[in-house]
Amino acid sequence: MTRHPRIAAYSGPAGGWGALKSVGQHVSHSRAPWKSVRSLLKANQDKGFDCPGCAWGDPEHGSSFEFCENGAKAVAWEVTAKRVTPRFFAQHTVTELLGWDDFMLEDQGRLTEPMRYDAASDRYEPISWEAAFAIIAEHLDALTSPDEALFYTSGRASNEAAYLYQLFVRLFGTNNFPDCSNMCHEASGVGMKASLGVGKGTVLLEDFEHADAIFVFGQNPGTNHPRMLGDLRRASRRGARIVSFNPLRERGLERFADPQSPLEMMTLSSQPISHRYYQPRMGGDMAAVRGMAKALFAMEARGEFTRAASFIEHHTRGATAWQDVVEATDWATLEDQSGLTRAQLEEAAMIFAGADNVICTWAMGITQHLHAVDSVREIVNLLLLGGHFGRPGAGACPVRGHSNVQGDRTMGIDEKAPAALIDALEARYGVSMPRGQGFNTVESLAGLEQGRAKTFIALGGNFTRATPDSERTEAAMRNLKLNVQISTKLNRSHLVIGKTTQALILPCLGRSEIDRSVQVDSQHISVEDSMSMVHSSAGIKAPASDELRSEPGIIAGIARATLARVLPRRGVSDPVNWEALSENYDLIRDEIAAVIPGFADFNARLAQKRGFHLANPVRELRFPTTSGQAEFSAAALPGSVLHQQLARREGWLTLQTMRSHDQYNTTVYGYNDRYRGVSGQRRVVFINAQDLARLGLADGDWVDMVGEPRPDGSERRAPQFKLVEYDIPVGCIGAYYPETNVLVALESHGSDTGTPASKAVPVRLERSSRIA
């Protein structure tokens, strides 16, 4: 795309004509405009394919036009007419490609054939599928222990692919499952399971039609899951109070014009979203929620609020201990840590108190902190206090990222190896499975650094760009003996290759493409959204290349070749007919139904028009905790969070890494961030005017961001970023990842989650040598 760098304030609403113009530009850039438009009309539709973007739910009553701007970008990105053929690799060395940015690499188009890296020429060369499978099997068989292999999973993998993947890996003998959940919503699962007994959201999409108040913590739906704005818009129009807590002012949380509403488009009107918008300092959300609770207890003492006494008595434990901790916390502490005033927190509490049905929703602004689990549990405490479970319009709603990140975990992609899952797998297949805890993402990187991991297989994603401490990550990846990437497009993870690394690129079908087999003319897969709805997805366009294979087909090929060598040495034969499963996904779903709870009659239920809901016992006021009741958490506030610590260090700021609007996770669709007024560039830092003045800097200056030194004393530096004055709390700055992942310390992560603290990164600014 043409780059014309400029910064100009954006005055329009989220969505609207700006969204339609952006969709048109991306469809045109795909070089396949008619295919893109036809594909968009089948996205999220019955007999169509699931959007490869976010995990926001689809309306059970259906829609003829259910997609959003970023979903349209994702579809156009996938159905592009551009191709990366062997000729492309013959023209470009890996060393040359390492100098390209993320947009340029993926913008070359769809991968078409399996490729193998040749160190002598520094180029990828074609290889047959069977030869590629044989290389993988040889490397895995040669390992001293199965635990020397890492098996990464992206949240775009289907339920069927994820189930086959975890089955193969556990038959091989390890639980090393680093995955995207480790880097985003792990705290949601851990915190909610401790509080409620279930690590998933408790609401359905229809609950947003009945909520009286919706509290939005640490998320930017306008960019990360734009279809959510339609549901917030409808809630706002009928009078629901929407209260947003977010450090940056985000246009999608302020006002929204629905591109699918002819009236709003023709009249250039929009709907206000947030009734109140509070800007806590980064890491201050737990203190903000605790401040609301403190205000509610005071209101209760004055007769202005009534807790859900019967619900608390019959369904919870620990309310008194939590109240004691809350009331013992003074207002000065709450104000300093949250960055909000007592009056603001009391105002938010009044809105909560006045609502019969409350939904709390959150994303990575909550989960990517050191104290993330306690923050999630504090939000759940608030909901428990009001009894906001087990009825329409109320509950907890963590909003996941990629379209099937929740389904992957349901299918068994979990390094913690749940005992019930292992029991069921062993009973089904008659082979002993590993039960020890495997490596999560951060532990995998440590294993690579220390030489304890030697083989890496990635089912999708862009691992080297998604992970923290980029330079350390890449150095660790170069220690691999084998690097296998199952992908649709070229990315940097294909290029980070050591001198003795063998590397394979295995190109797979995209979500929008027809998946044919000898037995089935058009196979369908399934996904699970943030509301635990499981629905079908079937591609509708011809594959980008005849050489592409499906993810289940690739996994089956690797498994068949590997286990034929490995299992006989253990005195057992392979219990799985991999070829049959890859030829007919109904058979995979029969296996899932036999092993995974909640999937009985999977094939029949999936055939229903909108799929089916995985029952959540919390909706029926059943809490599968050890005590059988919901558990209030009485965790103490952190003694201090990063912004408080840095206030005592001259010149230091708290950085939040985040997406631009032309981005989904590590996939960069372009160089614009329309709602924040950024065009044609990505190396920008959003900063408060007071911080500019305090540091002797000005809007438009170029700086380097410098982080804490690494354990070996080497420097973390992200060079040449332009300062952009923005509405963000004093002491806090924001910038895009993956460019800023280099500043996120590998050691800075939740101790109980392993999730990098990417929303609280200590940095200082130095003037850059770059001249605008």
Side-chain angles (χ1 to χ4, degrees):
M1 289 186 170
T2 304
R3 297 176 66 172
H4 300 290
R6 68 187 181 93
I7 305 292
Y10 179 76
S11 59
W17 289 107
L20 289 184
K21 180 180 178 181
S22 174
V23 169
Q25 290 171 338
H26 285 271
V27 165
S28 176
H29 185 72
S30 74
R31 296 186 187 170
W34 292 112
K35 288 183 179 180
S36 294
V37 171
R38 287 168 55 199
S39 297
L40 285 172
L41 294 174
K42 292 298 291 181
N44 297 326
Q45 301 309 307
D46 186 40
K47 307 300 182 185
F49 66 96
D50 186 75
C51 175
C54 77
W56 188 250
D58 301 325
E60 193 164 4
H61 40 73
S63 166
S64 61
F65 205 56
E66 184 61 36
F67 64 87
C68 65
E69 178 185 353
N70 273 13
K73 292 174 187 175
V75 171
W77 201 240
E78 181 171 286
V79 305
T80 177
K82 302 174 185 179
R83 300 289 182 265
V84 177
T85 65
R87 181 180 178 184
F88 171 88
F89 287 110
Q91 294 172 335
H92 303 284
T93 66
V94 165
T95 300
E96 176 195 349
L97 293 173
L98 278 169
W100 294 18
D101 68 17
D102 298 288
F103 172 80
M104 289 177 63
L105 289 171
E106 292 203 35
D107 192 46
Q108 302 311 303
R110 293 290 301 280
L111 297 161
T112 60
E113 298 181 35
M115 306 294 292
R116 177 184 182 181
Y117 178 66
D118 176 65
S121 64
D122 192 31
R123 288 175 168 84
Y124 273 98
E125 298 177 347
I127 186 174
S128 72
W129 280 104
E130 292 309 313
F133 295 153
I135 289 172
I136 297 169
E138 179 182 355
H139 274 266
L140 291 175
D141 188 34
L143 296 174
T144 303
S145 163
D147 290 330
E148 292 180 340
L150 305 171
F151 297 88
Y152 178 72
T153 317
S154 161
R156 283 182 60 169
S158 66
N159 287 328
E160 292 74 14
Y163 182 82
L164 285 193
Y165 200 48
Q166 65 84 30
L167 175 59
F168 154 57
V169 172
R170 289 191 164 106
L171 285 170
F172 173 64
T174 186
N175 284 311
N176 284 348
F177 286 112
D179 78 319
C180 54
S181 286
N182 296 152
M183 292 182 282
C184 56
H185 263 287
E186 196 73 38
S188 296
V190 173
M192 289 174 51
K193 191 162 187 177
S195 291
L196 304 174
V198 178
K200 297 182 181 183
T202 69
V203 303
L204 295 174
L205 194 61
E206 288 74 12
D207 286 314
F208 283 81
E209 300 173 3
H210 303 286
D212 300 304
I214 301 168
F215 286 78
V216 181
F217 296 96
Q219 66 184 118
N220 176 22
T223 289
N224 300 332
H225 22 268
R227 280 186 294 142
M228 181 180 179
L229 290 183
D231 294 289
L232 293 179
R233 166 185 168 273
R234 286 185 285 275
S236 176
R237 285 176 67 89
R238 64 175 175 76
R241 299 292 186 94
I242 298 172
V243 180
S244 296
F245 290 80
N246 200 69
L248 284 79
R249 296 292 295 193
E250 301 287 15
R251 187 50 47 87
L253 288 170
E254 293 178 320
R255 49 197 175 96
F256 174 60
D258 191 346
Q260 299 175 38
S261 168
L263 178 62
E264 289 186 4
M265 297 300 286
M266 293 301 294
T267 61
L268 302 181
S269 60
S270 62
Q271 176 66 34
I273 298 298
S274 296
H275 179 75
R276 290 290 185 271
Y277 198 128
Y278 305 114
Q279 293 177 262
R281 289 183 177 166
M282 292 164 186
D285 296 272
M286 182 180 178
V289 176
R290 183 153 293 184
M292 288 176 59
K294 187 176 180 70
L296 287 169
F297 290 134
M299 292 170 64
E300 184 178 41
R302 299 192 301 267
E304 298 169 359
F305 168 68
T306 303
R307 71 175 70 193
S310 178
F311 169 86
I312 292 170
E313 179 184 356
H314 292 98
H315 297 291
T316 75
R317 291 199 327 170
T320 300
W322 175 57
Q323 182 173 351
D324 290 344
V325 169
V326 170
E327 293 188 327
T329 310
D330 61 79
W331 276 110
T333 297
L334 294 168
E335 289 180 307
D336 187 56
Q337 191 163 122
S338 70
L340 300 174
T341 66
R342 176 176 177 173
Q344 288 174 311
L345 297 175
E346 289 176 334
E347 181 182 54
M350 289 179 64
I351 296 172
F352 182 93
D356 291 332
N357 299 302
V358 174
I359 291 174
C360 286
T361 174
W362 68 89
M364 286 181 283
I366 296 295
T367 62
Q368 289 186 327
H369 287 279
L370 299 181
H371 59 292
V373 169
D374 288 339
S375 295
V376 168
R377 298 198 67 185
E378 194 75 5
I379 293 171
V380 174
N381 283 351
L382 194 68
L383 289 168
L384 291 172
L385 183 65
H388 293 296
F389 291 100
R391 61 173 182 265
C397 181
V399 183
R400 312 285 178 171
H402 252 145
S403 57
N404 200 42
V405 62
Q406 183 160 301
D408 284 357
R409 186 55 57 87
T410 302
M411 290 296 109
I413 301 296
D414 190 345
E415 78 281 359
K416 298 182 183 67
L421 172 64
I422 303 303
D423 290 343
L425 288 169
E426 290 182 344
R428 180 70 176 175
Y429 301 106
V431 176
S432 178
M433 305 272 184
R435 292 178 179 266
Q437 183 168 322
F439 289 161
N440 63 22
T441 297
V442 167
E443 291 162 345
S444 292
L445 290 170
L448 286 169
E449 275 193 325
Q450 297 159 12
R452 293 184 291 127
K454 299 175 181 177
T455 296
F456 183 90
I457 300 178
L459 180 59
N462 185 357
F463 185 79
T464 62
R465 298 301 274 162
T467 45
D469 231 337
S470 305
E471 292 173 359
R472 281 179 73 185
T473 292
E474 294 197 3
M477 291 290 285
R478 295 183 194 280
N479 293 332
L480 285 168
K481 298 300 181 184
L482 178 67
N483 180 355
V484 180
Q485 301 285 329
I486 302 170
S487 309
T488 59
K489 287 196 167 189
L490 182 66
N491 65 52
R492 191 172 177 87
S493 293
H494 304 137
L495 310 175
V496 180
I497 303 169
K499 293 180 180 179
T500 61
T501 304
Q502 287 202 54
L504 296 168
I505 299 174
L506 305 183
C508 62
L509 293 169
R511 189 75 60 79
S512 63
E513 292 171 315
I514 298 171
D515 181 357
R516 292 189 174 93
S517 74
V518 173
Q519 295 185 21
V520 182
D521 186 55
S522 178
Q523 302 230 64
H524 61 279
I525 53 90
S526 63
V527 297
E528 178 187 350
D529 63 30
S530 287
M531 284 76 175
S532 298
M533 288 294 298
V534 179
H535 53 272
S536 177
S537 175
I540 50 90
K541 65 179 292 291
S545 165
D546 292 338
E547 284 287 312
L548 300 184
R549 294 197 181 184
S550 68
E551 288 181 334
I554 295 171
I555 295 164
I558 295 172
R560 188 172 61 248
T562 301
L563 297 178
R565 301 176 64 132
V566 171
L567 290 182
R569 293 211 188 100
R570 301 178 192 163
V572 297
S573 58
D574 190 345
V576 180
N577 187 337
W578 297 99
E579 185 173 359
L581 294 179
S582 65
E583 288 287 330
N584 186 345
Y585 301 164
D586 281 354
L587 300 180
I588 303 177
R589 287 185 282 272
D590 286 341
E591 297 300 305
I592 293 171
V595 172
I596 306 296
F599 284 86
D601 300 319
F602 191 0
N603 280 302
R605 293 162 72 197
L606 192 63
Q608 299 170 21
K609 185 173 182 180
R610 303 303 298 179
F612 62 95
H613 180 246
L614 285 176
N616 188 321
V618 175
R619 291 183 62 82
E620 300 172 1
L621 298 184
R622 292 186 292 110
F623 301 96
T625 60
T626 302
S627 67
Q629 294 181 304
E631 301 279 354
F632 279 91
S633 169
L637 283 179
S640 62
V641 295
L642 186 63
H643 79 79
Q644 294 173 298
Q645 298 162 21
L646 296 183
R648 299 187 289 271
R649 297 174 61 182
E650 183 64 31
W652 285 80
L653 303 161
T654 300
L655 166 69
Q656 166 183 311
T657 73
M658 59 192 188
R659 300 171 180 162
S660 77
H661 193 60
D662 270 3
Q663 178 179 354
Y664 199 82
N665 290 347
T666 57
T667 297
V668 178
Y669 302 124
Y671 298 102
N672 298 333
D673 190 359
R674 185 171 74 255
Y675 299 150
R676 299 186 184 113
V678 177
S679 300
Q681 57 198 308
R682 287 182 54 81
R683 300 187 78 85
V684 297
V685 179
F686 300 99
I687 185 169
N688 185 284
Q690 292 183 46
D691 286 321
L692 286 174
R694 176 172 60 88
L695 297 172
L697 297 167
D699 183 55
D701 283 353
W702 288 88
V703 298
D704 291 356
M705 285 187 282
V706 183
E708 297 276 17
R710 298 189 181 90
D712 64 1
S714 61
E715 183 180 64
R716 293 188 178 93
R717 180 180 291 265
Q720 299 185 342
F721 281 75
K722 180 188 286 187
L723 294 173
V724 176
E725 184 180 321
Y726 202 78
D727 191 349
I728 186 172
V730 172
C732 300
I733 59 176
Y736 309 134
Y737 71 83
E739 291 87 345
T740 52
N741 283 357
V742 66
L743 300 167
V744 182
L746 188 60
E747 295 79 14
S748 180
H749 58 80
S751 60
D752 39 10
T753 64
T755 301
S758 299
K759 297 296 186 283
V761 184
V763 299
R764 57 184 176 83
L765 307 180
E766 291 184 0
R767 287 189 181 274
S768 172
S769 58
R770 174 167 176 165
I771 300 175

